[in-house]
Amino acid sequence: MSELTFEQMLDESFKTIRNGEVVDGTVIDVKPDEIILNIGYKADGIIMRSEYTNDSSADLTTMVSVGDPLTVKVLKVNDGEGQVLLTYKRLVAEKGNERLKEAYENHEVLKAPVAQILGGGLSVVIDEARVFIPASLVSDSYEKDLSKYQDQEIEFVISEFNPRRNRIIGDRRQILVADRAKLQVGDSIEGTVKNVTDFGAFIDLGGVDGLLHISEMSWGRVENPKKVFKVGETMKVLIKDINDTKVALSLKFPETNPWANASEDYAVGNVVEGKVARMTDFGAFVELAPGVDALLHVSQISRAHVDKPSDVLSVGQVITAKIVDLNEADRKISLSMKVLEAPGTAEAESVEDVEAAEE
C-alpha cells in the first residue's frame, strides 16, 4: 500500500463539496463588488455583487464585514481559476419562495414596499423573492399612472404561485374590494389625509381612499382646503355615500348639526349676535354659527333710511339683532336690527316688511 503524498493528505483534510450544496462560511475579505469566504474547503469561495444583492450599485463593504458568518449555496465548485462560485441571494430567494408558498396556501396578507415600477405593474420583494402585481390587480379601479406607488408599502395576497415558470403573482385588488365591502354608510372611521386639492381632500381609510369634498368639510364655509388640512394628519370622518368604487366622506356629523336645536336657539323673538359674512344690495348675510346664516334685509337695518347695507355695515362686523322669522324646513332665518330700536308694534310690521322684500 503506497503512502499518501502531503498534498493528498491535505486534500483529504478538507471537506468535499458539490454544486447546489448549502455550506456555512466566514467572511475573510470584502471588496465593493465581491466577498471572499472561508468555507472549509481547499479553495476559498467567492460571492460576486450580483449574487449577493439585486442592487447593482451596492457597496458590499457597507453590507458585510470580515468575520461575519454566512450561509451560502455553491454554484460552481471550480470557476476555472481555482475558486468556488457561491450565491447568497439565490439561497435567500429560495427561502423567500418557501415563505410565499406558505402565504399562498394560507391566503395570508403580506406587506412590503414597492421595489420597482414596471410597464405592466408593480414588483415587490419578500426575502429576495420577487412578486409581480399586474396593473389590473393593483387597485379596484383603473390607474394609468403607477409611479405614486414607488417605495410605498402595500398589502397584497399571492394569487398564483409557480416559481418554476417564474410566475409569482400578487393581488392587491381583492384586499381593497374586501375592505370596501366592510364600509357602511353612516360609519365613523379614522383616516389619514393623503392629498389635498382645491375641491377637497383624499383620505386613506386603511387601503381604501375616500373623497372629502370641500362642501362637506364643515357646517360652515371653507374657502381653501389647503389652509385647513395637511397631508399626513389623521382625523375621524363620516362615510356619507358609497357608489361602486367611490367613497364620499363628510365632517358634518349629525350630533354637531347647528340646526338640530334651531327651534330653541333661533326662535322668533330671540335676540342674537352674529358676524356679517357677506353683503348684497338688498341685505346682509349674518353668520350666527358655523353653518347657520341669517338674512338681515336692508329695510331692517335701521329706522333711518339705508340705501345699501355697505353704507352702514362691514364684513366681519359683529351685530346684535332680533329673529323675526324662522323657516326650519328651508333653513332660512330673517333678522331685524330696526325692531330693537322701534316701539313694540314695529316687530309685527317688520315681519311683513321682510316677507314682502323676500318676495
Side-chain angles (χ1 to χ4, degrees):
M1 186 175 181
S2 59
E3 294 184 1
L4 296 174
T5 65
F6 176 76
E7 289 185 353
Q8 289 175 325
M9 288 189 293
L10 187 62
D11 285 344
E12 287 194 356
S13 68
F14 291 105
K15 64 184 180 183
T16 58
I17 59 174
R18 293 178 294 275
N19 292 347
E21 187 176 346
V22 176
V23 297
D24 292 323
T26 303
V27 177
I28 58 175
D29 190 22
V30 186
K31 298 176 182 178
D33 60 350
E34 65 181 30
I35 302 170
I36 307 299
L37 274 82
N38 177 0
I39 54 173
Y41 185 62
K42 61 183 179 181
D44 292 330
I46 181 171
I47 306 175
M48 304 304 294
R49 178 195 285 141
S50 60
E51 290 298 334
Y52 186 83
T53 175
N54 287 314
D55 185 355
S56 60
S57 62
D59 181 353
L60 297 182
T61 61
T62 65
M63 306 177 77
V64 295
S65 303
V66 172
D68 285 353
L70 277 182
T71 299
V72 293
K73 188 174 185 178
V74 177
L75 287 180
K76 200 170 187 180
V77 173
N78 190 335
D79 65 353
E81 296 181 3
Q83 290 180 307
V84 181
L85 288 183
L86 306 172
T87 180
Y88 172 77
K89 181 181 73 175
R90 298 189 202 187
L91 181 61
V92 174
E94 288 176 4
K95 293 180 179 178
N97 280 343
E98 292 176 7
R99 171 80 180 89
L100 295 179
K101 181 182 179 182
E102 182 181 322
Y104 170 70
E105 294 173 344
N106 296 329
H107 307 287
E108 180 185 349
V109 176
L110 300 172
K111 181 182 289 187
V114 174
Q116 192 176 4
I117 307 295
L118 303 174
L122 308 177
S123 175
V124 298
V125 178
I126 298 285
D127 295 336
E128 295 298 327
R130 288 191 172 272
V131 178
F132 177 65
I133 304 178
S136 61
L137 299 179
V138 170
S139 178
D140 56 356
S141 59
Y142 173 71
E143 292 200 61
K144 183 178 181 180
D145 184 12
L146 298 178
S147 61
K148 67 179 182 180
Y149 290 103
Q150 182 66 52
D151 299 324
Q152 180 180 324
E153 192 171 61
I154 61 173
E155 290 186 333
F156 58 94
V157 294
I158 304 299
S159 59
E160 183 178 345
F161 183 79
N162 192 338
R164 290 186 178 180
R165 294 182 56 196
N166 200 26
R167 278 184 63 84
I168 303 178
I169 305 299
D171 187 341
R172 179 173 179 262
R173 183 180 185 277
Q174 63 176 272
I175 294 178
L176 298 182
V177 171
D179 286 344
R180 198 181 300 280
K182 297 175 185 176
L183 301 178
Q184 300 291 330
V185 174
D187 286 350
S188 294
I189 186 171
E190 195 84 17
T192 304
V193 178
K194 194 173 182 180
N195 187 28
V196 185
T197 68
D198 292 335
F199 62 85
F202 289 94
I203 312 295
D204 182 357
L205 305 176
V208 176
D209 289 349
L211 173 62
L212 177 62
H213 192 266
I214 187 173
S215 62
E216 294 295 328
M217 290 181 171
S218 171
W219 288 106
R221 288 182 298 277
V222 173
E223 302 294 339
N224 187 349
K226 294 180 179 179
K227 292 184 178 180
V228 181
F229 301 101
K230 293 182 179 179
V231 173
E233 72 172 299
T234 58
M235 64 179 66
K236 181 174 285 187
V237 291
L238 176 70
I239 298 178
K240 183 183 179 185
D241 188 35
I242 300 176
N243 184 2
D244 194 17
T245 62
K246 297 179 180 179
V247 179
L249 306 174
S250 177
L251 288 178
K252 295 181 178 179
F253 295 95
E255 60 270 22
T256 63
N257 187 347
W259 285 89
N261 298 314
S263 58
E264 297 178 11
D265 298 338
Y266 309 115
V268 172
N270 284 5
V271 176
V272 293
E273 278 192 352
K275 183 186 296 184
V276 177
R278 60 192 188 282
M279 287 184 281
T280 66
D281 289 341
F282 63 83
F285 288 92
V286 181
E287 184 182 64
L288 303 182
V292 180
D293 286 354
L295 173 64
L296 175 62
H297 193 268
V298 65
S299 64
Q300 297 301 309
I301 293 176
S302 174
R303 293 177 61 188
H305 177 71
V306 177
D307 283 329
K308 52 185 179 179
S310 58
D311 289 340
V312 293
L313 299 174
S314 59
V315 173
Q317 179 181 345
V318 176
I319 62 139
T320 301
K322 178 176 281 190
I323 295 177
V324 294
D325 188 46
L326 169 64
N327 184 335
E328 282 191 80
D330 295 333
R331 294 190 172 183
K332 291 182 178 180
I333 298 173
S334 297
L335 302 175
S336 176
M337 293 173 68
K338 183 172 73 173
V339 296
L340 296 179
E341 305 174 11
T345 55
E347 182 174 345
E349 296 171 359
S350 69
V351 175
E352 295 176 359
D353 290 343
V354 171
E355 291 175 349
E358 288 180 340
E359 290 175 4

